[in-house]
Amino acid sequence: MASSLSPALARRVALAAQGFGRPSTGAPPGIRQFASLIDRLGLLQIDSVNVFERSHYLPVFARLGGYDKAQLDRLTYSPRITEYWAHEASFIPVDTLPLLRWRQQEYREKWAADSESWFNANRPMTEWLLAELAEKGPMRASEIEHESNTRSGSWWGWSDVKRGLETLFRWGDVVSAGRTRFERVYALPEQVLPASVRELQVPRDEAMRRLISISARAHGVGTADDFADYFRLKAVDAVPAIRELEESGELLPVTIDGWGKAAWLHRDARLPRRMDATALLSPFDPVVWARARALRLFDFHYRIEIYTPEPKRVFGYYVLPVLVDDRVVGRLDLKNDRQAAVLRVRASWSEPGAPDETAARLAPVLRQTMQWQGLTDIEVSQKGNLAASLAAELSS
């Protein structure tokens, strides 16, 4: 018979599994702490939007506080970490890459079988790209492109070189060799990956079990949909893996009032009696990236409005959810005005039922954010129902 968890305990379990609520040592975090966090989370999602800060830096700041981004770069661009399409484009431990070979193969088979695919119309280009990397070593797309390449296609305006490299990257024929000014460096696998990673063949069912295991550990507690979404798995693969992990005792069935779905608790999950945390969450933070889970856990309805026309935006362009203890209690639209050295709070909102001390709890986090970003001032616009109290707290 499944045991029962209260919704409040489920929230605390989920946040603890994500690395919140751990006491700070007071020392600036470094490589060891970063590696431990990435191992706990399983991945850091990458996104190019930089109006405030690139997304993969933000989950680390939310959990560990101010740190030197160059130190995180040393890890994410090291042989211990690689990139691939995990949740979306993500930094992952290099040992996770063999667990995603089935995805590489699916991409290859799909595009190779489509007579109208870009690949089938440009096979000589991909062969030439592989030869270029073999001859010259790891390179960025911009280093390979020639003036004669015609830029074409979608809104992104990728050149054929970039499209070819991305095709080969999805197939695993090329891999990431780090980044330069955030531009991915492409390499042949044998140029950067150890033989133990290149040669490891993991059967699909075992890969699914291991991916679900990573996901369940990072969730603490969740539904089949939750666990599957972490690595964008299909139910036909995820559900059998969950059942096998349940049979082995790694996943424990639980019921949670109001969830209305079967749920499982990871056997190693912490069950905190309280949660002490105040943080700004990236739109691409695992705590909130699955919107249905955010609604179920926190009663928090979240939609990112970057791609919404400005007149139709409700909360702002780059809105970060505000976590206080075990609740999401607000949202801030932040902009890093690097030229003026100002952190601009363009809108600030509290959620229904947010505690009276929300602004007081948030002000120190914003000051720390300002310092972490190397800025000298914070300016709060008067848009939003939290703006007046937040401005007052910051001015005191």
Side-chain angles (χ1 to χ4, degrees):
M1 181 177 178
S3 60
S4 177
L5 270 65
S6 70
L9 179 55
R11 287 196 301 272
R12 296 195 296 271
V13 168
L15 290 168
Q18 280 285 307
F20 287 100
R22 294 179 175 270
S24 172
T25 63
I31 295 289
R32 183 174 62 83
Q33 289 84 3
F34 302 150
S36 176
L37 180 60
I38 293 175
D39 183 61
R40 171 180 292 278
L41 301 183
L43 53 83
L44 291 175
Q45 186 174 335
I46 304 168
D47 191 83
S48 61
V49 177
N50 198 27
V51 64
F52 166 54
E53 181 53 273
R54 297 198 192 279
S55 65
H56 68 280
Y57 291 117
L58 294 176
V60 180
F61 176 67
R63 291 153 177 80
L64 300 180
Y67 67 93
D68 182 354
K69 291 188 294 181
Q71 292 295 310
L72 181 61
D73 291 344
R74 282 183 57 199
L75 176 63
T76 53
Y77 302 154
S78 77
R80 299 166 63 180
I81 302 293
T82 190
E83 298 179 35
Y84 193 62
W85 292 89
H87 181 74
E88 295 290 337
S90 306
F91 291 114
I92 57 174
V94 71
D95 291 340
T96 302
L97 192 58
L99 306 183
L100 296 165
R101 289 245 164 77
W102 58 271
R103 177 166 290 161
Q104 295 172 342
Q105 186 62 26
E106 284 187 353
Y107 283 137
R108 182 189 303 275
E109 292 173 354
K110 177 181 178 181
W111 294 342
D114 181 0
S115 61
E116 298 183 359
S117 70
W118 180 92
F119 165 72
N120 279 315
N122 294 272
R123 285 176 183 252
M125 168 65 76
T126 57
E127 294 168 359
W128 178 78
L129 289 170
L130 291 171
E132 282 287 284
L133 292 174
E135 177 184 351
K136 299 176 182 177
M139 299 173 71
R140 290 170 286 145
S142 59
E143 294 177 286
I144 302 176
E145 288 172 337
H146 296 283
E147 292 295 329
S148 60
N149 287 331
T150 302
R151 292 183 176 274
S152 63
S154 67
W155 179 80
W156 293 98
W158 280 356
S159 68
D160 284 339
V161 165
K162 179 67 175 179
R163 291 186 69 179
L165 288 169
E166 282 297 301
T167 297
L168 294 168
F169 176 73
R170 284 180 182 259
W171 291 4
D173 288 359
V174 304
V175 296
S176 172
R179 287 178 178 247
T180 300
R181 293 184 295 278
F182 202 65
E183 184 181 2
R184 183 183 290 133
V185 179
Y186 297 89
L188 300 181
E190 58 268 26
Q191 292 170 335
V192 294
L193 294 180
S196 59
V197 172
R198 297 197 314 270
E199 297 169 4
L200 181 61
Q201 299 297 321
V202 183
R204 184 186 178 103
D205 58 348
E206 180 184 344
M208 295 300 171
R209 282 195 303 272
R210 290 171 62 180
L211 290 171
I212 289 291
S213 176
I214 294 169
S215 173
R217 188 181 299 272
H219 279 87
V221 64
T223 66
D225 288 343
D226 294 337
F227 295 162
D229 179 67
Y230 212 69
F231 287 100
R232 296 292 203 234
L233 307 181
K234 296 178 181 178
V236 68
D237 292 313
V239 171
I242 290 170
R243 295 302 181 190
E244 290 181 28
L245 292 173
E246 181 181 344
E247 290 174 6
S248 72
E250 183 172 346
L251 296 182
L252 311 174
V254 293
T255 61
I256 302 167
D257 288 346
W259 279 32
K261 292 185 175 183
W264 290 265
L265 177 75
H266 194 276
R267 66 184 173 198
D268 296 334
R270 292 193 299 126
L271 279 68
R273 298 181 63 181
R274 60 187 300 271
M275 176 59 58
D276 183 9
T278 309
L280 299 173
L281 303 178
S282 162
F284 309 103
D285 192 297
V287 171
V288 293
W289 72 24
R291 308 316 189 203
R293 179 174 169 86
L295 186 62
R296 191 184 334 117
L297 274 175
F298 305 107
D299 194 25
F300 182 69
H301 186 274
Y302 185 42
R303 295 290 184 272
I304 188 167
E305 298 181 278
I306 291 173
Y307 308 111
T308 301
E310 185 172 1
K312 296 184 179 181
R313 289 180 196 142
V314 176
F315 296 106
Y317 179 76
Y318 195 75
V319 174
L320 285 78
V322 177
L323 177 71
V324 172
D325 297 333
D326 67 345
R327 300 304 301 263
V328 176
V329 301
R331 36 190 123 198
L332 299 185
D333 182 14
L334 292 187
K335 177 180 174 61
N336 187 335
D337 188 339
R338 297 168 178 87
Q339 185 173 358
V342 173
L343 178 63
R344 300 195 183 278
V345 185
R346 298 188 291 187
S348 40
W349 307 87
S350 63
E351 292 293 293
D356 293 340
E357 67 271 17
T358 296
R361 293 283 296 273
L362 189 52
V365 174
L366 285 173
R367 294 191 184 100
Q368 186 185 36
T369 303
M370 175 191 72
Q371 294 168 356
W372 175 55
Q373 290 291 303
L375 307 176
T376 57
D377 198 8
I378 304 173
E379 293 187 2
V380 180
S381 298
Q382 289 305 301
K383 182 177 180 180
N385 60 2
L386 187 62
S389 56
L390 184 58
E393 286 289 342
L394 288 167
S395 65
S396 63

